[in-house]
Amino acid sequence: MWFFGQKAKQLSLSADMMRIADDAVVVIDRYQTIVMFNDGASRIFGYGTGEALGLSLDMLIPERFHLAHGVMVDEFGAGKANTRHMGERARQIHGRRKDGSEFIASVQIMRLSYQGQPYYGAIVRDISKDKQTEDELLRLAATDPLTGAFNRREFTAIAEREALRAVRYSHPLSLLMCDLDHFKKLNDIYGHAAGDRVLQRFTQMCSNTLRNVDIFARWGGEEFVALLPETDVEGAAIIAERLRRQMAEMIVTSGDQNITTTVSIGLSQYRDGEIAIDGPLGRADSAVYEAKKNGRDRISIYRG
């Protein structure tokens, strides 16, 4: 009886803490469906407590981060750690309120279990006021809003810095240009939302496959570029072939459609003393043209 009383007391106090806490407490099941949503979560995200239950966690996350967040949850579930503080990550975490506005969040995630079934809990704090608006604007200015990859301007600036370093130390530097095959046809058949999903999945695949030192960006439309420091064109070909093969094997689900597509990749190496991106980019673009002319779904190395 005493044990029962202690348990009841603990449960009552825990419930009071959940109710009074300013921070959001959100729990999801293995399908990422919300099963717990406290008053703090209601205040931060703008959804009523009962309104949120049974809905997908995606509604609390900006759309451009859905894929990356899903991958993160899967990785955490497969790992051994029982908790992780997302504030320690290099990239900021963003939440989305009911009205569509976004905020910067500090998130601690936890592995939970109930009756043998896995659950994941998160304590979310809105730290927008702790961040400088200028930093956020700089981040947004550097990335593509759909995929989260670097945009053309940021990639060009980074490429010039890497080229200067390569020239200084006489190290090789290579560039890949990736062009998704028949992308206009894909949009026409499946719709632009499906096309956007393909672009996002391709970005995630490249981010997972490329090395930490590599720089990846969306150049425009269905074209992407990657800068490979310390890599000659032969080494770049190995990386490019891995990307090509993984893209050919990837299935993208959009609604009730399973979509497959391929990518053509052109490679070029910076020449001795070359700093500007125009030369290697133009040569990589020519190599992409050759890959497409020869049947698509292949890599082509510029050797002129």
Side-chain angles (χ1 to χ4, degrees):
M1 182 65 70
W2 177 85
F3 181 76
F4 175 80
Q6 285 292 97
K7 282 291 185 181
K9 180 179 179 181
Q10 291 173 4
L11 288 172
S12 177
L13 291 173
S14 296
D16 283 346
M17 287 181 64
M18 285 272 293
R19 178 176 55 81
I20 297 171
D22 288 332
D23 294 342
V25 179
V26 181
V27 178
I28 60 172
D29 62 17
R30 61 181 175 177
Y31 304 108
Q32 299 197 37
T33 299
I34 297 172
V35 299
M36 182 179 292
F37 197 81
N38 75 335
D39 290 349
S42 182
R43 287 189 292 271
I44 290 176
F45 289 100
Y47 292 91
T49 304
E51 181 183 9
L53 296 179
L55 298 180
S56 172
L57 182 67
D58 280 349
M59 72 181 192
L60 307 182
I61 303 167
E63 185 176 355
R64 63 186 182 277
F65 298 123
H66 283 182
L67 180 61
H69 185 269
V71 171
M72 181 275 296
V73 172
D74 291 341
E75 289 178 347
F76 180 66
K80 296 181 179 180
N82 287 320
T83 184
R84 180 187 299 172
H85 197 291
M86 306 307 289
E88 296 173 357
R89 287 169 44 141
R91 295 198 175 199
Q92 293 173 346
I93 307 300
H94 289 71
R96 181 177 63 187
R97 301 183 182 91
K98 183 178 181 179
D99 63 8
S101 62
E102 297 182 11
F103 64 92
I104 302 171
S106 170
V107 182
Q108 182 181 6
I109 57 177
M110 294 158 283
R111 187 197 310 274
L112 306 172
S113 177
Y114 179 70
Q115 295 185 347
Q117 296 299 314
Y119 291 84
Y120 302 99
I123 299 175
V124 183
R125 176 174 296 175
D126 183 350
I127 60 170
S128 300
K129 294 180 180 179
D130 299 333
K131 299 292 184 181
Q132 294 294 324
T133 302
E134 181 181 359
D135 291 341
E136 176 63 2
L137 292 174
L138 288 173
R139 189 197 67 81
L140 291 173
T143 56
D144 169 58
L146 176 65
T147 64
F150 284 127
N151 59 25
R152 180 186 295 207
R153 183 177 64 180
E154 185 69 10
F155 180 85
T156 300
I158 296 173
E160 290 182 355
R161 293 196 297 269
E162 286 293 332
L164 283 169
R165 191 175 67 86
V167 169
R168 180 178 181 182
Y169 296 105
S170 299
H171 290 170
L173 181 63
S174 294
L175 186 143
L176 308 181
M177 174 166 277
C178 307
D179 194 320
L180 302 190
D181 296 325
H182 300 298
F183 190 72
K184 182 180 184 302
K185 183 178 179 180
L186 186 152
N187 274 332
D188 291 341
I189 295 173
Y190 299 105
H192 288 278
D196 288 348
R197 179 70 171 161
V198 170
L199 295 175
Q200 291 170 335
R201 284 291 305 277
F202 179 72
T203 298
Q204 186 65 39
M205 184 203 74
C206 290
S207 298
N208 291 338
T209 303
L210 293 170
R211 305 163 304 179
N212 290 337
V213 297
D214 299 330
I215 311 301
F216 180 76
R218 185 182 182 191
W219 194 249
E222 67 271 26
E223 290 183 329
F224 295 82
V225 288
L227 192 73
L228 311 181
E230 312 287 338
T231 309
D232 61 20
V233 73
E234 306 303 334
I238 296 173
I239 296 172
E241 175 58 23
R242 189 180 305 133
L243 294 176
R244 184 207 64 77
R245 185 176 65 253
Q246 290 184 359
M247 186 61 178
E249 295 171 352
M250 186 173 70
I251 298 175
V252 178
T253 301
S254 180
D256 59 354
Q257 301 285 346
N258 290 329
I259 304 169
T260 59
T261 189
T262 57
V263 62
S264 298
I265 305 177
L267 295 74
S268 68
Q269 184 172 337
Y270 276 67
R271 293 169 176 167
D272 290 345
E274 197 167 36
I275 301 297
I277 194 175
D278 296 347
L281 187 69
R283 296 193 295 273
D285 188 49
S286 296
V288 169
Y289 175 79
E290 287 297 316
K292 288 187 174 291
K293 186 174 71 172
N294 291 326
R296 296 181 169 83
D297 186 24
R298 64 190 64 228
I299 68 171
S300 176
I301 302 173
Y302 186 93
R303 297 189 182 279

